[in-house]
Amino acid sequence: MNARTWLGRRLTLVLGGVLTAVVVFLAVAAPWLTDADPNRVNAVPRLQAPGPGRGLGSDDLGRPLWSRIVYGARLSLTIGLSVMVGVTLTGSALGLAAGYSPQLDRLLMRVMDGLMAFPDVLLAIGLMAVLGPRVSNVMVALTVVYTPRMARVVRATALVAGESVFVDAARALGASDARILLRHVLPNCLGPAVVQATFTFAYAVLTEAALGFLGVGAPPQLASWGTIISEGRLLVREASWLTILPGFAIVLTVVGLNALVLGAGATI
């Protein structure tokens, strides 16, 4: 590896870490960064442009955009983290079972293939139409959408690990299937699972914003980046900051997460 390649990978890792840290700080410190209610309607400062003393401006209902963006970061990261954990646990369990048992493999992977046949957003919209507009339902819908990817990644690694010499040795010594899975197969699946989990975090944030933009995500009374963009799209000429600033927040989050995992994977 030459010096230029090494430096580029390190810079990618640092850039991803800094961007992700900024977004996480905004989400965690939201109550201390602003004392304005992100949902309080105020008719006086309607459609104020960003500027000194006005922060990032306000929307058509007089709600401060800065407050709505930082609280939207809290909502997006909460959903993204919950989906990542749910997908990692569910997908890893399904992938291990499918990779270790040929009988389960046929059934589970056909179900996963069926789910992956639908585009992510369309499947999420269908699930939300059935479940209803709640934050918990968004988490459930996105977990169902992205579990097949994790399951296939873990299954592929489990298939390779299951044919290894150390697994054959453990089986010859009389180790149970549960012990082989937990002690020998699962550790080999952790690396690919962690990488996929981080990408899932970014996908979940992006898809949650898409659902909010389409009006089928979190309840409209909650500050969400997708909802803010959806509300501001009709005023894009008069108040372009209503779509540009939350859109920039989404890009910042997704780029930061992807750069972080790419940089970390390249330097390991």
Side-chain angles (χ1 to χ4, degrees), residues 70-263:
V70 294
Y71 276 96
R74 169 172 287 197
L75 178 64
S76 293
L77 293 187
T78 299
I79 292 176
L81 181 61
S82 301
V83 172
M84 183 185 71
V85 173
V87 166
T88 301
L89 295 178
T90 307
S92 297
L94 295 175
L96 283 174
Y100 193 76
S101 172
Q103 293 78 16
L104 290 175
D105 186 25
R106 299 187 188 94
L107 173 63
L108 294 177
M109 287 303 103
R110 298 300 76 76
V111 174
M112 297 299 103
D113 291 342
L115 292 175
M116 291 184 68
F118 295 93
D120 298 344
V121 176
L122 290 182
L123 180 57
I125 291 174
L127 292 173
M128 288 302 299
V130 175
L131 299 174
R134 296 180 59 183
V135 174
S136 59
N137 292 340
V138 174
M139 297 175 184
V140 172
L142 296 183
T143 299
V144 173
V145 168
Y146 292 114
T147 290
R149 299 186 183 187
M150 178 66 73
R152 294 194 68 86
V153 168
V154 174
R155 169 188 176 269
T157 308
L159 284 173
V160 175
E163 300 297 327
S164 301
V165 175
F166 57 83
V167 171
D168 292 336
R171 189 178 291 113
L173 292 174
S176 64
D177 290 341
R179 181 179 179 85
I180 293 174
L181 281 174
L182 296 177
R183 293 291 300 273
H184 302 288
V185 178
L186 180 59
N188 288 277
C189 301
L190 291 180
V194 169
V195 174
Q196 183 62 35
T198 309
F199 280 122
T200 298
F201 199 150
Y203 295 148
V205 170
L206 195 60
T207 307
E208 183 274 328
L211 293 177
F213 178 82
L214 296 172
V216 293
Q221 65 269 21
L222 297 179
S224 168
W225 288 339
T227 303
I228 298 171
I229 296 176
S230 178
E231 293 172 348
R233 75 187 190 280
L234 300 178
L235 301 169
V236 67
R237 292 186 177 181
E238 297 82 0
S240 59
W241 62 88
L242 295 179
T243 54
I244 292 176
L245 295 180
F248 179 75
I250 296 172
V251 172
L252 188 74
T253 304
V254 175
V255 170
L257 289 169
N258 287 338
L260 182 63
V261 67
L262 290 175

Side-chain angles (χ1 to χ4, degrees), residues 21-47:
V22 169
V23 177
V24 171
F25 172 76
L26 292 177
V28 173
W32 296 276
L33 294 175
T34 176
D35 56 357
D37 186 348
N39 299 314
R40 182 179 179 182
V41 177
N42 191 342
V44 177
R46 294 178 63 251
L47 296 179

